[in-house]
Amino acid sequence: MMEEKGRENGVAAMKACYRRFDPAAYLQYNYTPPRADFTRKDSIVPWKLACLHRAFTEGDMSGELLVDIGSGPTLYQVMSGCEVFSKVLLTDFLEVNRQELRRWLQDEGQCSLDWTPYLQHVCKLEGRRPSAWTEKAAKLRQVVADILPIDVHCSQPLAPDALPSAGADCLVSCFCLESVSPDLAAFTRALGHIGKLLRPGGHLMLIGALGESYYLAGPGVKIPVVPLNEAQVCTSLKESGYTLIRLEVYTLTQDMRVGVDDVTGVFFAKAKKD
């Protein structure tokens, strides 16, 4: 009973941290140069986009529904997947992030970040001319069916009727679970919770921080993170009912350490639900 109470308190404290989350500041900190410099091979965002492109185009994925777990205010993580799956659901715990995503999807302008360079870069990865980005943007807007609230700490993270009974064919989740969990056990439990949304044999693409204890989510808004290493990621996946297909690691260069977090590396995992 005490253990459960402590568990709930830890999760509640994490949720309280997010009340001051600032989508515009977060995007500025992490999704502009040098971290998003498309002229550099060693920039972190192009590395992530290349991992996702490769994973989605290896030919081992099938089905119709892709669900992005904890989208935050970002769209890059579904730019390759929208070519493979005919329906995409975005999800986030915070209404401010869901609003940010809606603004782009409804093409209202007033977005906190211009996603054009991202779309152009993914087009290049796909062997298309960068000017095809307008077609890709239209495709993405067409396949995103909804933006839903989610809580990865609930054993049923989405509303019961949000998904078909068979579950999603693929999940993608980037920098969500380790940054909303009070400890490693909560991170592993959250992996198990989202696994319930995935059909057996479905794929999970997980991107996350290594060695990170905090990040800034706005001026003066410091959010604690579970500092993970590669072995812990592999163990948590296994314990949560996934078979790891591939793990790749990016080590941050000195100029990528821009003072908004203490992250040392980023992992990309492609796994399959048992």
Side-chain angles (χ1 to χ4, degrees):
M1 193 68 189
M2 285 292 287
E3 189 187 327
E4 202 166 304
K5 196 79 192 136
R7 197 185 287 180
E8 284 169 14
N9 290 345
V11 167
M14 284 303 306
K15 288 177 180 175
C17 290
Y18 275 87
R19 287 185 196 132
R20 294 165 62 211
F21 187 94
D22 180 342
Y26 174 78
L27 289 166
Q28 184 63 38
Y29 296 158
N30 295 288
Y31 293 97
T32 59
R35 288 187 169 182
D37 184 343
F38 295 105
T39 64
R40 284 177 56 177
K41 282 225 166 22
D42 64 345
S43 181
I44 189 167
V45 166
W47 180 84
K48 288 188 286 186
L49 290 172
C51 286
L52 288 162
H53 165 71
R54 196 158 55 247
F56 278 116
T57 53
E58 283 173 318
D60 57 347
M61 292 193 200
S62 60
E64 294 174 1
L65 178 60
L66 168 66
V67 180
D68 180 26
I69 305 290
S71 306
T74 66
L75 288 156
Y76 71 92
Q77 61 276 21
V78 292
M79 288 180 182
S80 291
C82 76
E83 302 291 344
V84 181
F85 295 93
S86 56
K87 184 179 177 183
V88 173
L89 291 176
L90 303 177
T91 69
D92 202 72
F93 181 70
L94 295 176
E95 174 57 23
V96 285
N97 284 336
R98 299 196 299 266
Q99 279 174 343
E100 178 69 38
L101 296 171
R102 271 186 222 111
R103 277 198 288 273
W104 186 85
L105 286 168
Q106 290 158 10
D107 209 1
E108 294 170 1
Q110 304 169 317
C111 287
S112 300
L113 188 73
D114 178 11
W115 291 104
T116 307
Y118 286 73
L119 293 158
Q120 289 172 329
H121 188 75
V122 177
C123 284
K124 272 165 65 176
L125 290 174
E126 291 170 354
R128 297 151 73 181
R129 60 194 192 289
S131 58
W133 75 268
T134 52
E135 294 158 31
K136 181 168 267 300
K139 177 77 176 272
L140 186 53
R141 288 186 171 108
Q142 176 199 331
V143 300
V144 173
D146 213 343
I147 304 165
L148 302 173
I150 191 167
D151 185 344
V152 297
H153 297 303
C154 290
S155 64
Q156 184 67 48
L158 289 172
D161 56 351
L163 300 184
S165 56
D169 299 296
C170 183
L171 302 180
V172 61
S173 187
C174 302
F175 303 103
C176 170
L177 305 186
E178 73 279 11
S179 57
V180 300
S181 297
D183 50 38
L184 180 60
F187 168 82
T188 306
R189 277 194 302 275
L191 259 180
H193 293 159
I194 67 169
K196 294 176 185 175
L197 305 173
L198 187 62
R199 68 167 170 81
H203 286 83
L204 167 68
M205 250 82 72
L206 195 64
I207 292 181
L210 291 170
E212 182 177 49
S213 69
Y214 79 92
Y215 76 96
L216 297 182
V221 184
K222 197 171 183 177
I223 294 187
V225 179
V226 182
L228 298 171
N229 61 40
E230 293 163 58
Q232 287 168 326
V233 173
C234 295
T235 301
S236 291
L237 283 165
K238 192 175 181 181
E239 284 176 12
S240 306
Y242 303 94
T243 297
L244 183 65
I245 296 169
R246 182 168 68 252
L247 184 78
E248 297 177 56
V249 172
Y250 170 97
T251 303
L252 266 79
T253 57
Q254 206 48 51
D255 64 332
M256 294 291 150
R257 301 181 187 203
V258 292
V260 297
D261 51 42
D262 61 350
V263 65
T264 59
V266 174
F267 70 86
F268 171 83
K270 180 176 182 176
K272 200 170 185 177
K273 182 175 171 179
D274 298 340

